[in-house]
Amino acid sequence: GGGGGGGDTDARAAAIVAKCHAASGVDRLEFGGVASDYDYSQFKPRGHYDNFALQDYWRGVMWLGRTPFTLRKSNSAAAPDAAVRRQSAAALVVAELATSAAPALAHIERFLALAVGESDNATP
């Protein structure tokens, strides 16, 4: 239930994290008030990320890349208005965290370039 988060939210977050670590297929995900089928198998680290030091990095990047934030309601969207507001707020929090973490992320990027080579991304 609702309230200020707490135990229920913590338990749901822990269950999602456990599913990401198990990386064992498709299951239901309720995120920000929107439920969908979600492919947790994508969280299995691959390549040079299948190394204890980089596995959590892999899972974090996969979560950010694969988990949709419903920022506006479309005619076909099943998301209720409250879910759109909640996910918009979550997206703002992620953006703020990314901005405040930029120096640390740059440090990680430099480390990865030294450890595994330069990025092969098409954009900077």
Side-chain angles (χ1 to χ4, degrees), residues 17 42 77:
V17 169
Q42 297 300 311

Side-chain angles (χ1 to χ4, degrees), residues 12 90 109-110:
R12 288 187 299 137
E109 182 68 27
R110 286 191 302 275

Side-chain angles (χ1 to χ4, degrees), residues 9-123:
T9 301
D10 292 347
R12 288 187 299 137
I16 291 169
V17 169
K19 289 178 184 181
C20 291
H21 279 265
S24 63
V26 177
D27 199 353
R28 209 70 179 144
L29 169 68
E30 183 179 329
F31 178 69
V34 178
S36 63
D37 290 330
Y38 196 79
D39 186 1
Y40 288 96
S41 70
Q42 297 300 311
F43 289 91
K44 179 173 177 33
R46 295 183 275 284
H48 64 267
Y49 296 102
D50 190 13
N51 148 329
F52 182 76
L54 296 176
Q55 288 179 355
D56 286 339
Y57 172 81
W58 171 270
R59 289 184 191 102
V61 169
M62 290 303 290
W63 177 266
L64 291 171
R66 297 188 55 80
T67 307
F69 287 94
T70 304
L71 302 180
R72 66 184 176 92
K73 192 167 179 71
S74 70
N75 292 337
S76 63
D81 290 340
V84 172
R85 286 191 301 276
R86 190 171 24 256
Q87 288 192 12
S88 295
L92 288 172
V93 169
V94 169
E96 177 60 32
L97 289 171
T99 300
S100 64
L105 294 173
H107 182 71
I108 291 169
E109 182 68 27
R110 286 191 302 275
F111 166 77
L112 290 173
L114 288 171
V116 297
E118 292 294 326
S119 171
D120 60 359
N121 290 339
T123 59

